[in-house]
Each structure stands twice: as C-alpha cells, then as structure tokens.
C-alpha cells in the first residue's frame, strides 16, 4: 500500500458541519498498516460520531479509509442538492 504525502496542511482544509446534527467535524486517523507512521483518514462528527467511510483503503481497522485528508474532506463536504421542493 503506497500512500502519497499530504500537499495541503490541515489548517488549510475545512470540513463542513455534520450533515446530521450540525456539530463541528474533524479528521479521524489511524495507521495505514499495523504500526506504520503513514496515516489514513476519514471525516467524522465531534458530537454524534458519524463518519464517512467510503474511501478505497482497507486496513486492520476496517474499510473505507482515504489516502489523504483532501480526499476525506471532499467526500465529507459533498452534500446532496435538492431539486424542486415546496414553495
């Protein structure tokens, strides 16, 4: 499993609030493999603990991790757009 280094610092990445409860979000992170220093990421809520685990990486802690914070943020920040609706 070859992971690329992050090109953007964590302070430059912004996670939208949780889509379920509206609380602040953060990056969850675990080792890519065993005791490796390389990390994999997921967007997560600080209150209701929901996470988006839709990434391509599977490791000892399950599947759905993202190689970079940028990839995790892109999926976390994706919101469905509502078409039509009541007026």
């Amino acid at each position: 499993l070859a992971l690329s280094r992050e090109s953007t610092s964590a302070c430059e990445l912004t996670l939208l609030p949780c889509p379920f409860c509206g609380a602040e979000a953060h990056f969850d992170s675990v080792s890519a493999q065993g005791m490796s220093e390389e990390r994999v990421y997921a967007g997560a809520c600080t209150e209701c603990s929901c996470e988006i685990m839709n990434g391509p990486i599977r490791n000892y802690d399950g599947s759905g991790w993202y190689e970079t914070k940028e990839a995790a943020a892109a999926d976390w920040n994706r919101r469905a757009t509502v078409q039509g609706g009541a007026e």
Side-chain angles (χ1 to χ4, degrees):
L1 181 63
L3 299 179
S4 64
R5 294 284 174 206
E6 296 173 57
S7 59
T8 306
S9 71
C11 63
E12 292 176 306
L13 291 174
T14 302
L15 293 175
L16 294 175
C18 177
F20 301 107
C21 73
E24 186 177 328
H26 67 101
F27 290 102
D28 191 5
S29 175
V30 297
S31 294
Q33 293 179 345
M35 300 303 282
S36 168
E37 296 215 10
E38 292 181 279
R39 309 295 287 177
V40 290
Y41 305 93
C45 177
T46 58
E47 291 297 319
C48 71
S49 300
C50 72
E51 285 185 298
I52 185 162
M53 300 297 292
N54 199 33
I57 298 174
R58 178 175 176 77
N59 67 3
Y60 66 92
D61 204 29
S63 60
W65 295 95
Y66 297 85
E67 187 174 337
T68 64
K69 286 183 178 179
E70 291 86 356
D75 262 7
W76 177 269
N77 290 337
R78 186 171 304 141
R79 301 292 195 260
T81 55
V82 179
Q83 296 180 356
E87 292 185 25

